């Protein structure tokens, strides 16, 4: 099963960039559709981006579309989130998640679709 560990969080100025990584120590990343969410509380956790198992499809929340890019390297078992033009309101804990729901092209955006979660990495956007 997926065992997810995020890294790359930190402090960045508004307008800056950051890349988050999510490593799967279970070395099975290719078996899952992957996503990034943000929010410490499970109930308030918001969808950020998802990428399909076959790497062909991506889906973004409206407020990050055009600024964030989700990608994956299945050979290295790592999921990435490149974040550009960061805003103060992007500050949060970012958590990666994995699911086998749906087909190879699926990009689920609901929290309930994801069975495996990391612990999160915090991003603070501040001048």
């Amino acid at each position: 099963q997926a065992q997810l560990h995020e890294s790359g969080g930190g402090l960045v100025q508004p307008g800056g960039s950051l890349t988050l990584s999510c490593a799967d120590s279970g070395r099975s990343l290719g078996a899952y559709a992957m996503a990034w969410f943000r929010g410490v509380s499970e109930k308030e956790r918001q969808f950020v981006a998802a990428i399909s198992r076959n790497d062909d499809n991506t889906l973004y929340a409206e407020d990050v579309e055009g600024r964030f890019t989700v990608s994956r390297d299945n050979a290295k078992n790592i999921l990435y989130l490149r974040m550009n033009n960061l805003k103060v309101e992007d500050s949060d804990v970012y958590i990666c998640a994995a699911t086998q729901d749906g087909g190879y092209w699926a990009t689920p955006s609901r929290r309930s679709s994801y069975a495996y979660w990391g612990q999160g990495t915090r991003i603070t956007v501040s001048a």
Side-chain angles (χ1 to χ4, degrees):
Q1 65 182 37
Q3 299 172 35
L4 307 175
H5 308 276
E6 303 91 340
S7 62
L11 175 65
V12 62
Q13 292 186 340
S17 298
L18 209 58
T19 298
L20 304 183
S21 299
C22 170
D24 175 17
S25 59
R27 294 187 285 184
S28 59
L29 197 78
Y32 301 94
M34 301 295 298
W36 288 96
F37 287 79
R38 58 190 181 191
V40 175
S41 167
E42 282 192 35
K43 290 184 178 180
E44 297 178 354
R45 198 163 287 170
Q46 297 178 341
F47 172 77
V48 175
I51 186 166
S52 61
R53 206 182 311 182
N54 65 5
D55 205 12
D56 280 352
N57 294 326
T58 56
L59 179 69
Y60 295 93
E62 187 175 341
D63 58 344
V64 308
E65 180 89 51
R67 300 188 297 123
F68 291 10
T69 302
V70 60
S71 62
R72 63 194 297 161
D73 185 334
N74 288 343
K76 294 182 179 179
N77 290 291
I78 300 178
L79 173 75
Y80 299 100
L81 183 68
R82 174 65 177 178
M83 303 181 291
N84 294 327
N85 191 22
L86 282 161
K87 304 176 181 180
V88 172
E89 53 265 38
D90 293 322
S91 299
D92 213 325
V93 174
Y94 285 71
I95 303 162
C96 62
T99 182
Q100 291 184 310
D101 280 3
Y104 283 95
W105 56 89
T107 51
S109 59
R110 294 183 302 178
R111 292 189 307 271
S112 59
S113 296
Y114 289 86
Y116 305 102
W117 296 82
Q119 294 300 307
T121 186
R122 181 174 292 278
I123 296 166
T124 303
V125 185
S126 175

